[in-house]
Amino acid sequence: MRPLHSTLETAVNTATQTTLQQSRTIERLVEGVATSDGAGVSLTRVLTGKLQQRLDPFLMLDAFGSDDPNDYIAGFPDHPHRGFETVTYMLAGRMRHKDSAGHEGLLGDGGVQWMTAGRGVIHSEIPEQKDGAMEGFQLWLNLPAQTKMAEPWYRDFPSDAIPEYITGENVTVRVIAGSSNGVAGVVTRETTEPLYLDIHVPAGATFSTALPQTHNAFIYVYRGAVRVGDTEVESQRMGILSNTPGADGITLSATGDARLILVAGKPLHEPIVQYGPFVMNTQQEIHQALDDYRNGHFA
Ligand code: CO
């Protein structure tokens, strides 16, 4: 990832943090499950099917990180998606995306790829490196029933397109989606109103951001550890944030240097029926997705 204070960095905002009435707390800590997907990519599935209701509108979070090429080199050859959005955030590494809607792009260090599968795409995600570290996240964000069959959409955001701000305590925040302390991210979505932040907190610093009370939210710590209220969240742990009435955001502090993502979204409260890479509202729609895929109707 590029240095945060490089001389090229002309657009870093400084932000004054909102003063919160009350912080959310950690309702539950979740340890991911080691698994493998695609053609044999090792990853940790942090948000699994069991948490889809609790963390509505989010369907899945995979964390990947390895400097052993055997863990990632096979990549994700052609596979379909329908009914939701995939958000891939690359901390380190290079991955090429190609899809049946004609989109192609190279995702690199610090970059984000946002794909709305809508009524259906077939795509591949293949590493463009033979060694070195590959680390990042893939988040699945549900689409409301009304737009599950919308046209596919896709955009790559290189690292330097992602807005960043620094607080008075030298906390660096990259705003991928939504807005935080007055800084807007590169993607906004109606209905689910996702917030997606990558937060770097120096040892001893405290960070706050507002969260709409309607939203379900979680943090995932990938370096160091943070404290939220009385609960410590260690590296490689997800902390589900309580939906405490009256709590208007989150305040966290780092005991040592810490890095984490904070993800929040407005629940859809619609039925979730998942069959692998298809996420719809009814079994009938899943059967339709399988038929359409087998009959070559995905673009
Ligand atoms: Co995919």
Side-chain angles (χ1 to χ4, degrees):
M1 195 175 293
R2 77 204 149 114
L4 294 170
H5 301 283
S6 84
T7 50
L8 295 172
E9 189 60 68
T10 51
V12 169
N13 303 283
T14 52
T16 308
Q17 301 183 74
T18 324
T19 306
L20 300 180
Q21 298 294 314
Q22 186 191 342
S23 174
R24 295 194 189 201
T25 55
I26 300 290
E27 172 183 299
R28 184 177 159 192
L29 293 170
V30 178
E31 195 174 348
V33 180
T35 184
S36 130
D37 208 340
V41 177
S42 300
L43 49 83
T44 303
R45 188 141 295 160
V46 182
L47 196 175
T48 58
K50 280 182 269 184
L51 291 171
Q52 286 175 344
Q53 297 293 340
R54 175 61 188 87
L55 291 175
D56 178 12
F58 302 103
L59 300 165
M60 193 189 81
L61 176 71
D62 284 345
F64 49 93
S66 176
D67 45 22
D68 177 356
N70 292 318
D71 287 336
Y72 60 73
I73 205 76
F76 302 87
D78 275 349
H79 60 278
H81 293 289
R82 174 181 277 184
F84 58 100
E85 310 191 72
T86 66
V87 184
T88 309
Y89 179 37
M90 194 70 110
L91 296 168
R94 290 194 315 281
M95 188 102 87
R96 182 164 296 274
H97 163 102
K98 279 184 195 172
D99 74 36
S100 56
H103 305 122
E104 178 171 350
L106 182 64
L107 182 62
D109 294 4
V112 171
Q113 180 212 80
W114 198 294
M115 184 187 79
T116 306
R119 64 182 167 75
V121 295
I122 299 166
H123 76 161
S124 61
E125 300 151 295
I126 304 291
E128 274 208 2
Q129 62 187 59
K130 295 204 160 40
D131 50 32
M134 175 155 310
E135 182 179 17
F137 303 98
Q138 188 171 85
L139 177 72
W140 288 11
L141 169 62
N142 209 355
L143 285 168
Q146 214 181 356
T147 57
K148 277 185 178 293
M149 294 298 279
E151 284 296 304
W153 183 90
Y154 164 93
R155 195 72 60 83
D156 275 313
F157 302 98
S159 186
D160 59 10
I162 296 171
E164 249 177 51
Y165 68 85
I166 297 180
T167 71
E169 292 187 50
N170 278 324
V171 177
T172 303
V173 182
R174 313 192 75 216
V175 187
I176 295 166
S179 80
S180 168
N181 290 313
V183 178
V186 283
V187 173
T188 53
R189 283 286 180 268
E190 292 175 11
T191 315
T192 52
E193 300 173 12
L195 174 71
Y196 192 158
L197 309 178
D198 180 14
I199 307 168
H200 300 184
V201 195
T206 294
F207 170 74
S208 293
T209 192
L211 293 172
Q213 296 195 22
T214 47
H215 283 35
N216 288 326
F218 65 89
I219 58 172
Y220 180 79
V221 178
Y222 64 93
R223 295 283 189 284
V226 300
R227 182 163 280 278
V228 181
D230 295 331
T231 310
E232 177 155 283
V233 186
E234 295 174 1
S235 192
Q236 265 78 74
R237 293 288 184 283
M238 173 166 74
I240 297 178
L241 301 185
S242 63
N243 293 55
T244 313
D248 53 352
I250 179 175
T251 298
L252 58 87
S253 57
T255 40
D257 288 355
R259 296 185 175 207
L260 67 147
I261 56 171
L262 166 60
V263 175
K266 190 175 176 186
L268 292 167
H269 301 300
E270 293 174 348
I272 301 167
V273 183
Q274 177 172 8
Y275 181 79
F278 309 125
V279 183
M280 304 301 290
N281 302 113
T282 66
Q283 278 299 341
Q284 165 58 28
E285 289 168 343
I286 292 292
H287 291 307
Q288 188 65 53
L290 282 161
D291 279 354
D292 289 351
Y293 176 54
R294 287 180 187 134
N295 295 324
H297 295 157
F298 276 35

PDB file of all heavy atoms in Angstrom, residues 180-214:
ATOM      1  N   SER A 180     -18.021   9.222   6.637  1.00  0.00           N
ATOM      2  CA  SER A 180     -17.568   9.182   8.029  1.00  0.00           C
ATOM      3  C   SER A 180     -16.931  10.515   8.388  1.00  0.00           C
ATOM      4  O   SER A 180     -16.058  10.985   7.652  1.00  0.00           O
ATOM      5  CB  SER A 180     -16.537   8.053   8.188  1.00  0.00           C
ATOM      6  OG  SER A 180     -15.864   8.150   9.431  1.00  0.00           O
ATOM      7  N   ASN A 181     -17.353  11.115   9.470  1.00  0.00           N
ATOM      8  CA  ASN A 181     -16.819  12.397   9.939  1.00  0.00           C
ATOM      9  C   ASN A 181     -16.735  13.422   8.805  1.00  0.00           C
ATOM     10  O   ASN A 181     -15.748  14.152   8.659  1.00  0.00           O
ATOM     11  CB  ASN A 181     -15.466  12.201  10.637  1.00  0.00           C
ATOM     12  CG  ASN A 181     -15.616  11.487  11.974  1.00  0.00           C
ATOM     13  OD1 ASN A 181     -16.474  11.850  12.778  1.00  0.00           O
ATOM     14  ND2 ASN A 181     -14.832  10.456  12.214  1.00  0.00           N
ATOM     15  N   GLY A 182     -17.767  13.441   7.976  1.00  0.00           N
ATOM     16  CA  GLY A 182     -17.881  14.443   6.922  1.00  0.00           C
ATOM     17  C   GLY A 182     -17.165  14.102   5.625  1.00  0.00           C
ATOM     18  O   GLY A 182     -17.204  14.882   4.681  1.00  0.00           O
ATOM     19  N   VAL A 183     -16.513  12.951   5.551  1.00  0.00           N
ATOM     20  CA  VAL A 183     -15.799  12.564   4.325  1.00  0.00           C
ATOM     21  C   VAL A 183     -16.569  11.446   3.624  1.00  0.00           C
ATOM     22  O   VAL A 183     -16.851  10.409   4.218  1.00  0.00           O
ATOM     23  CB  VAL A 183     -14.351  12.116   4.646  1.00  0.00           C
ATOM     24  CG1 VAL A 183     -13.629  11.666   3.382  1.00  0.00           C
ATOM     25  CG2 VAL A 183     -13.598  13.246   5.333  1.00  0.00           C
ATOM     26  N   ALA A 184     -16.893  11.673   2.356  1.00  0.00           N
ATOM     27  CA  ALA A 184     -17.693  10.704   1.596  1.00  0.00           C
ATOM     28  C   ALA A 184     -16.793   9.726   0.847  1.00  0.00           C
ATOM     29  O   ALA A 184     -15.741  10.103   0.331  1.00  0.00           O
ATOM     30  CB  ALA A 184     -18.595  11.433   0.608  1.00  0.00           C
ATOM     31  N   GLY A 185     -17.206   8.488   0.779  1.00  0.00           N
ATOM     32  CA  GLY A 185     -16.463   7.447   0.078  1.00  0.00           C
ATOM     33  C   GLY A 185     -16.749   7.425  -1.408  1.00  0.00           C
ATOM     34  O   GLY A 185     -17.464   8.281  -1.929  1.00  0.00           O
ATOM     35  N   VAL A 186     -16.188   6.426  -2.105  1.00  0.00           N
ATOM     36  CA  VAL A 186     -16.339   6.370  -3.558  1.00  0.00           C
ATOM     37  C   VAL A 186     -17.676   5.759  -3.988  1.00  0.00           C
ATOM     38  O   VAL A 186     -18.084   5.945  -5.123  1.00  0.00           O
ATOM     39  CB  VAL A 186     -15.189   5.599  -4.248  1.00  0.00           C
ATOM     40  CG1 VAL A 186     -13.954   6.472  -4.324  1.00  0.00           C
ATOM     41  CG2 VAL A 186     -14.888   4.269  -3.585  1.00  0.00           C
ATOM     42  N   VAL A 187     -18.296   5.002  -3.115  1.00  0.00           N
ATOM     43  CA  VAL A 187     -19.556   4.363  -3.495  1.00  0.00           C
ATOM     44  C   VAL A 187     -20.639   4.725  -2.476  1.00  0.00           C
ATOM     45  O   VAL A 187     -20.395   4.745  -1.269  1.00  0.00           O
ATOM     46  CB  VAL A 187     -19.398   2.821  -3.559  1.00  0.00           C
ATOM     47  CG1 VAL A 187     -20.739   2.137  -3.784  1.00  0.00           C
ATOM     48  CG2 VAL A 187     -18.429   2.435  -4.673  1.00  0.00           C
ATOM     49  N   THR A 188     -21.824   5.060  -2.993  1.00  0.00           N
ATOM     50  CA  THR A 188     -22.982   5.193  -2.112  1.00  0.00           C
ATOM     51  C   THR A 188     -24.084   4.324  -2.702  1.00  0.00           C
ATOM     52  O   THR A 188     -24.141   4.118  -3.918  1.00  0.00           O
ATOM     53  CB  THR A 188     -23.505   6.644  -2.023  1.00  0.00           C
ATOM     54  OG1 THR A 188     -23.731   7.129  -3.336  1.00  0.00           O
ATOM     55  CG2 THR A 188     -22.516   7.550  -1.323  1.00  0.00           C
ATOM     56  N   ARG A 189     -24.900   3.787  -1.860  1.00  0.00           N
ATOM     57  CA  ARG A 189     -26.007   2.959  -2.307  1.00  0.00           C
ATOM     58  C   ARG A 189     -27.258   3.361  -1.557  1.00  0.00           C
ATOM     59  O   ARG A 189     -27.236   3.492  -0.323  1.00  0.00           O
ATOM     60  CB  ARG A 189     -25.724   1.479  -2.006  1.00  0.00           C
ATOM     61  CG  ARG A 189     -24.737   0.839  -2.975  1.00  0.00           C
ATOM     62  CD  ARG A 189     -25.405   0.603  -4.313  1.00  0.00           C
ATOM     63  NE  ARG A 189     -24.518  -0.009  -5.296  1.00  0.00           N
ATOM     64  CZ  ARG A 189     -23.773   0.667  -6.161  1.00  0.00           C
ATOM     65  NH1 ARG A 189     -23.768   1.980  -6.159  1.00  0.00           N
ATOM     66  NH2 ARG A 189     -23.028   0.026  -7.042  1.00  0.00           N
ATOM     67  N   GLU A 190     -28.349   3.546  -2.336  1.00  0.00           N
ATOM     68  CA  GLU A 190     -29.641   3.757  -1.701  1.00  0.00           C
ATOM     69  C   GLU A 190     -30.062   2.433  -1.080  1.00  0.00           C
ATOM     70  O   GLU A 190     -29.474   1.402  -1.359  1.00  0.00           O
ATOM     71  CB  GLU A 190     -30.671   4.189  -2.743  1.00  0.00           C
ATOM     72  CG  GLU A 190     -30.388   5.565  -3.311  1.00  0.00           C
ATOM     73  CD  GLU A 190     -31.358   5.922  -4.437  1.00  0.00           C
ATOM     74  OE1 GLU A 190     -32.358   5.189  -4.623  1.00  0.00           O
ATOM     75  OE2 GLU A 190     -31.099   6.913  -5.116  1.00  0.00           O
ATOM     76  N   THR A 191     -31.061   2.450  -0.287  1.00  0.00           N
ATOM     77  CA  THR A 191     -31.664   1.271   0.350  1.00  0.00           C
ATOM     78  C   THR A 191     -30.772   0.654   1.432  1.00  0.00           C
ATOM     79  O   THR A 191     -31.130   0.683   2.596  1.00  0.00           O
ATOM     80  CB  THR A 191     -32.068   0.191  -0.681  1.00  0.00           C
ATOM     81  OG1 THR A 191     -32.720   0.824  -1.780  1.00  0.00           O
ATOM     82  CG2 THR A 191     -33.035  -0.811  -0.054  1.00  0.00           C
ATOM     83  N   THR A 192     -29.590   0.117   1.057  1.00  0.00           N
ATOM     84  CA  THR A 192     -28.752  -0.518   2.088  1.00  0.00           C
ATOM     85  C   THR A 192     -27.778   0.465   2.744  1.00  0.00           C
ATOM     86  O   THR A 192     -27.202   0.159   3.794  1.00  0.00           O
ATOM     87  CB  THR A 192     -27.950  -1.705   1.523  1.00  0.00           C
ATOM     88  OG1 THR A 192     -27.231  -1.273   0.358  1.00  0.00           O
ATOM     89  CG2 THR A 192     -28.865  -2.870   1.160  1.00  0.00           C
ATOM     90  N   GLU A 193     -27.554   1.631   2.139  1.00  0.00           N
ATOM     91  CA  GLU A 193     -26.702   2.686   2.699  1.00  0.00           C
ATOM     92  C   GLU A 193     -25.426   2.159   3.355  1.00  0.00           C
ATOM     93  O   GLU A 193     -25.136   2.459   4.526  1.00  0.00           O
ATOM     94  CB  GLU A 193     -27.497   3.493   3.735  1.00  0.00           C
ATOM     95  CG  GLU A 193     -28.737   4.155   3.162  1.00  0.00           C
ATOM     96  CD  GLU A 193     -29.600   4.807   4.254  1.00  0.00           C
ATOM     97  OE1 GLU A 193     -29.128   4.948   5.397  1.00  0.00           O
ATOM     98  OE2 GLU A 193     -30.747   5.159   3.943  1.00  0.00           O
ATOM     99  N   PRO A 194     -24.619   1.366   2.623  1.00  0.00           N
ATOM    100  CA  PRO A 194     -23.454   0.763   3.271  1.00  0.00           C
ATOM    101  C   PRO A 194     -22.383   1.781   3.673  1.00  0.00           C
ATOM    102  O   PRO A 194     -22.151   2.764   2.967  1.00  0.00           O
ATOM    103  CB  PRO A 194     -22.900  -0.179   2.189  1.00  0.00           C
ATOM    104  CG  PRO A 194     -23.369   0.402   0.892  1.00  0.00           C
ATOM    105  CD  PRO A 194     -24.719   1.000   1.186  1.00  0.00           C
ATOM    106  N   LEU A 195     -21.756   1.514   4.808  1.00  0.00           N
ATOM    107  CA  LEU A 195     -20.557   2.228   5.252  1.00  0.00           C
ATOM    108  C   LEU A 195     -19.431   1.203   5.296  1.00  0.00           C
ATOM    109  O   LEU A 195     -19.619   0.102   5.845  1.00  0.00           O
ATOM    110  CB  LEU A 195     -20.775   2.813   6.653  1.00  0.00           C
ATOM    111  CG  LEU A 195     -19.547   3.470   7.288  1.00  0.00           C
ATOM    112  CD1 LEU A 195     -19.197   4.784   6.601  1.00  0.00           C
ATOM    113  CD2 LEU A 195     -19.768   3.701   8.790  1.00  0.00           C
ATOM    114  N   TYR A 196     -18.289   1.539   4.702  1.00  0.00           N
ATOM    115  CA  TYR A 196     -17.153   0.615   4.689  1.00  0.00           C
ATOM    116  C   TYR A 196     -15.895   1.445   4.892  1.00  0.00           C
ATOM    117  O   TYR A 196     -15.527   2.254   4.040  1.00  0.00           O
ATOM    118  CB  TYR A 196     -17.119  -0.130   3.342  1.00  0.00           C
ATOM    119  CG  TYR A 196     -16.179  -1.337   3.254  1.00  0.00           C
ATOM    120  CD1 TYR A 196     -16.401  -2.325   2.305  1.00  0.00           C
ATOM    121  CD2 TYR A 196     -15.065  -1.494   4.084  1.00  0.00           C
ATOM    122  CE1 TYR A 196     -15.564  -3.445   2.194  1.00  0.00           C
ATOM    123  CE2 TYR A 196     -14.236  -2.590   3.990  1.00  0.00           C
ATOM    124  CZ  TYR A 196     -14.480  -3.568   3.037  1.00  0.00           C
ATOM    125  OH  TYR A 196     -13.654  -4.665   2.924  1.00  0.00           O
ATOM    126  N   LEU A 197     -15.254   1.285   6.043  1.00  0.00           N
ATOM    127  CA  LEU A 197     -14.053   2.048   6.386  1.00  0.00           C
ATOM    128  C   LEU A 197     -12.890   1.109   6.656  1.00  0.00           C
ATOM    129  O   LEU A 197     -13.078   0.031   7.219  1.00  0.00           O
ATOM    130  CB  LEU A 197     -14.288   2.882   7.662  1.00  0.00           C
ATOM    131  CG  LEU A 197     -15.519   3.782   7.729  1.00  0.00           C
ATOM    132  CD1 LEU A 197     -15.574   4.476   9.096  1.00  0.00           C
ATOM    133  CD2 LEU A 197     -15.499   4.814   6.611  1.00  0.00           C
ATOM    134  N   ASP A 198     -11.684   1.546   6.271  1.00  0.00           N
ATOM    135  CA  ASP A 198     -10.447   0.882   6.694  1.00  0.00           C
ATOM    136  C   ASP A 198      -9.758   1.874   7.623  1.00  0.00           C
ATOM    137  O   ASP A 198      -9.457   2.999   7.219  1.00  0.00           O
ATOM    138  CB  ASP A 198      -9.576   0.561   5.473  1.00  0.00           C
ATOM    139  CG  ASP A 198      -8.273  -0.129   5.863  1.00  0.00           C
ATOM    140  OD1 ASP A 198      -8.137  -0.597   7.015  1.00  0.00           O
ATOM    141  OD2 ASP A 198      -7.370  -0.210   4.997  1.00  0.00           O
ATOM    142  N   ILE A 199      -9.524   1.459   8.870  1.00  0.00           N
ATOM    143  CA  ILE A 199      -9.105   2.388   9.922  1.00  0.00           C
ATOM    144  C   ILE A 199      -7.755   1.944  10.482  1.00  0.00           C
ATOM    145  O   ILE A 199      -7.607   0.790  10.889  1.00  0.00           O
ATOM    146  CB  ILE A 199     -10.160   2.406  11.050  1.00  0.00           C
ATOM    147  CG1 ILE A 199     -11.555   2.681  10.473  1.00  0.00           C
ATOM    148  CG2 ILE A 199      -9.808   3.433  12.104  1.00  0.00           C
ATOM    149  CD1 ILE A 199     -12.688   2.423  11.475  1.00  0.00           C
ATOM    150  N   HIS A 200      -6.788   2.868  10.493  1.00  0.00           N
ATOM    151  CA  HIS A 200      -5.466   2.586  11.060  1.00  0.00           C
ATOM    152  C   HIS A 200      -5.316   3.437  12.323  1.00  0.00           C
ATOM    153  O   HIS A 200      -5.310   4.666  12.244  1.00  0.00           O
ATOM    154  CB  HIS A 200      -4.361   2.937  10.064  1.00  0.00           C
ATOM    155  CG  HIS A 200      -4.462   2.172   8.769  1.00  0.00           C
ATOM    156  ND1 HIS A 200      -3.532   2.263   7.773  1.00  0.00           N
ATOM    157  CD2 HIS A 200      -5.385   1.275   8.323  1.00  0.00           C
ATOM    158  CE1 HIS A 200      -3.875   1.466   6.757  1.00  0.00           C
ATOM    159  NE2 HIS A 200      -5.004   0.869   7.066  1.00  0.00           N
ATOM    160  N   VAL A 201      -5.206   2.781  13.447  1.00  0.00           N
ATOM    161  CA  VAL A 201      -5.208   3.480  14.733  1.00  0.00           C
ATOM    162  C   VAL A 201      -3.854   3.301  15.419  1.00  0.00           C
ATOM    163  O   VAL A 201      -3.485   2.178  15.776  1.00  0.00           O
ATOM    164  CB  VAL A 201      -6.307   2.925  15.670  1.00  0.00           C
ATOM    165  CG1 VAL A 201      -6.545   3.874  16.838  1.00  0.00           C
ATOM    166  CG2 VAL A 201      -7.595   2.671  14.922  1.00  0.00           C
ATOM    167  N   PRO A 202      -3.097   4.399  15.623  1.00  0.00           N
ATOM    168  CA  PRO A 202      -1.831   4.265  16.337  1.00  0.00           C
ATOM    169  C   PRO A 202      -2.068   3.876  17.805  1.00  0.00           C
ATOM    170  O   PRO A 202      -3.141   4.167  18.347  1.00  0.00           O
ATOM    171  CB  PRO A 202      -1.214   5.669  16.264  1.00  0.00           C
ATOM    172  CG  PRO A 202      -2.060   6.463  15.352  1.00  0.00           C
ATOM    173  CD  PRO A 202      -3.385   5.786  15.232  1.00  0.00           C
ATOM    174  N   ALA A 203      -1.064   3.243  18.397  1.00  0.00           N
ATOM    175  CA  ALA A 203      -1.150   2.832  19.797  1.00  0.00           C
ATOM    176  C   ALA A 203      -1.624   3.986  20.677  1.00  0.00           C
ATOM    177  O   ALA A 203      -1.116   5.098  20.569  1.00  0.00           O
ATOM    178  CB  ALA A 203       0.211   2.341  20.280  1.00  0.00           C
ATOM    179  N   GLY A 204      -2.611   3.739  21.489  1.00  0.00           N
ATOM    180  CA  GLY A 204      -3.080   4.723  22.456  1.00  0.00           C
ATOM    181  C   GLY A 204      -4.125   5.684  21.911  1.00  0.00           C
ATOM    182  O   GLY A 204      -4.749   6.416  22.681  1.00  0.00           O
ATOM    183  N   ALA A 205      -4.334   5.701  20.605  1.00  0.00           N
ATOM    184  CA  ALA A 205      -5.285   6.660  20.025  1.00  0.00           C
ATOM    185  C   ALA A 205      -6.717   6.131  20.121  1.00  0.00           C
ATOM    186  O   ALA A 205      -6.963   4.935  20.225  1.00  0.00           O
ATOM    187  CB  ALA A 205      -4.929   6.940  18.570  1.00  0.00           C
ATOM    188  N   THR A 206      -7.637   7.079  20.075  1.00  0.00           N
ATOM    189  CA  THR A 206      -9.066   6.765  20.135  1.00  0.00           C
ATOM    190  C   THR A 206      -9.719   7.287  18.863  1.00  0.00           C
ATOM    191  O   THR A 206      -9.306   8.315  18.327  1.00  0.00           O
ATOM    192  CB  THR A 206      -9.694   7.436  21.377  1.00  0.00           C
ATOM    193  OG1 THR A 206      -9.121   6.836  22.534  1.00  0.00           O
ATOM    194  CG2 THR A 206     -11.192   7.252  21.432  1.00  0.00           C
ATOM    195  N   PHE A 207     -10.720   6.571  18.391  1.00  0.00           N
ATOM    196  CA  PHE A 207     -11.407   6.960  17.165  1.00  0.00           C
ATOM    197  C   PHE A 207     -12.910   6.826  17.365  1.00  0.00           C
ATOM    198  O   PHE A 207     -13.384   5.872  17.989  1.00  0.00           O
ATOM    199  CB  PHE A 207     -10.966   6.052  16.009  1.00  0.00           C
ATOM    200  CG  PHE A 207     -11.809   6.222  14.767  1.00  0.00           C
ATOM    201  CD1 PHE A 207     -11.665   7.341  13.971  1.00  0.00           C
ATOM    202  CD2 PHE A 207     -12.766   5.270  14.425  1.00  0.00           C
ATOM    203  CE1 PHE A 207     -12.461   7.514  12.836  1.00  0.00           C
ATOM    204  CE2 PHE A 207     -13.550   5.437  13.290  1.00  0.00           C
ATOM    205  CZ  PHE A 207     -13.399   6.561  12.495  1.00  0.00           C
ATOM    206  N   SER A 208     -13.648   7.788  16.812  1.00  0.00           N
ATOM    207  CA  SER A 208     -15.114   7.731  16.853  1.00  0.00           C
ATOM    208  C   SER A 208     -15.696   8.048  15.489  1.00  0.00           C
ATOM    209  O   SER A 208     -15.164   8.895  14.768  1.00  0.00           O
ATOM    210  CB  SER A 208     -15.680   8.785  17.818  1.00  0.00           C
ATOM    211  OG  SER A 208     -15.336   8.489  19.135  1.00  0.00           O
ATOM    212  N   THR A 209     -16.777   7.391  15.179  1.00  0.00           N
ATOM    213  CA  THR A 209     -17.548   7.779  13.996  1.00  0.00           C
ATOM    214  C   THR A 209     -19.020   7.497  14.278  1.00  0.00           C
ATOM    215  O   THR A 209     -19.352   6.573  15.027  1.00  0.00           O
ATOM    216  CB  THR A 209     -17.071   7.065  12.711  1.00  0.00           C
ATOM    217  OG1 THR A 209     -17.666   7.704  11.561  1.00  0.00           O
ATOM    218  CG2 THR A 209     -17.432   5.593  12.694  1.00  0.00           C
ATOM    219  N   ALA A 210     -19.884   8.307  13.688  1.00  0.00           N
ATOM    220  CA  ALA A 210     -21.325   8.112  13.868  1.00  0.00           C
ATOM    221  C   ALA A 210     -21.787   6.909  13.053  1.00  0.00           C
ATOM    222  O   ALA A 210     -21.224   6.597  12.005  1.00  0.00           O
ATOM    223  CB  ALA A 210     -22.069   9.367  13.410  1.00  0.00           C
ATOM    224  N   LEU A 211     -22.796   6.227  13.553  1.00  0.00           N
ATOM    225  CA  LEU A 211     -23.445   5.139  12.810  1.00  0.00           C
ATOM    226  C   LEU A 211     -24.943   5.327  12.935  1.00  0.00           C
ATOM    227  O   LEU A 211     -25.448   5.525  14.047  1.00  0.00           O
ATOM    228  CB  LEU A 211     -23.079   3.772  13.423  1.00  0.00           C
ATOM    229  CG  LEU A 211     -21.632   3.298  13.327  1.00  0.00           C
ATOM    230  CD1 LEU A 211     -21.444   2.035  14.166  1.00  0.00           C
ATOM    231  CD2 LEU A 211     -21.273   3.031  11.871  1.00  0.00           C
ATOM    232  N   PRO A 212     -25.669   5.246  11.812  1.00  0.00           N
ATOM    233  CA  PRO A 212     -27.126   5.355  11.911  1.00  0.00           C
ATOM    234  C   PRO A 212     -27.675   4.232  12.799  1.00  0.00           C
ATOM    235  O   PRO A 212     -27.215   3.102  12.725  1.00  0.00           O
ATOM    236  CB  PRO A 212     -27.594   5.176  10.464  1.00  0.00           C
ATOM    237  CG  PRO A 212     -26.399   5.466   9.615  1.00  0.00           C
ATOM    238  CD  PRO A 212     -25.210   5.057  10.428  1.00  0.00           C
ATOM    239  N   GLN A 213     -28.657   4.575  13.625  1.00  0.00           N
ATOM    240  CA  GLN A 213     -29.179   3.573  14.568  1.00  0.00           C
ATOM    241  C   GLN A 213     -29.913   2.442  13.858  1.00  0.00           C
ATOM    242  O   GLN A 213     -30.067   1.365  14.416  1.00  0.00           O
ATOM    243  CB  GLN A 213     -30.084   4.260  15.596  1.00  0.00           C
ATOM    244  CG  GLN A 213     -29.285   5.239  16.438  1.00  0.00           C
ATOM    245  CD  GLN A 213     -29.996   5.701  17.697  1.00  0.00           C
ATOM    246  OE1 GLN A 213     -30.897   5.049  18.192  1.00  0.00           O
ATOM    247  NE2 GLN A 213     -29.567   6.849  18.222  1.00  0.00           N
ATOM    248  N   THR A 214     -30.326   2.703  12.622  1.00  0.00           N
ATOM    249  CA  THR A 214     -31.007   1.661  11.846  1.00  0.00           C
ATOM    250  C   THR A 214     -30.055   0.544  11.403  1.00  0.00           C
ATOM    251  O   THR A 214     -30.500  -0.538  11.031  1.00  0.00           O
ATOM    252  CB  THR A 214     -31.554   2.276  10.533  1.00  0.00           C
ATOM    253  OG1 THR A 214     -30.508   3.076   9.947  1.00  0.00           O
ATOM    254  CG2 THR A 214     -32.777   3.105  10.775  1.00  0.00           C
TER     255      THR A 214
END
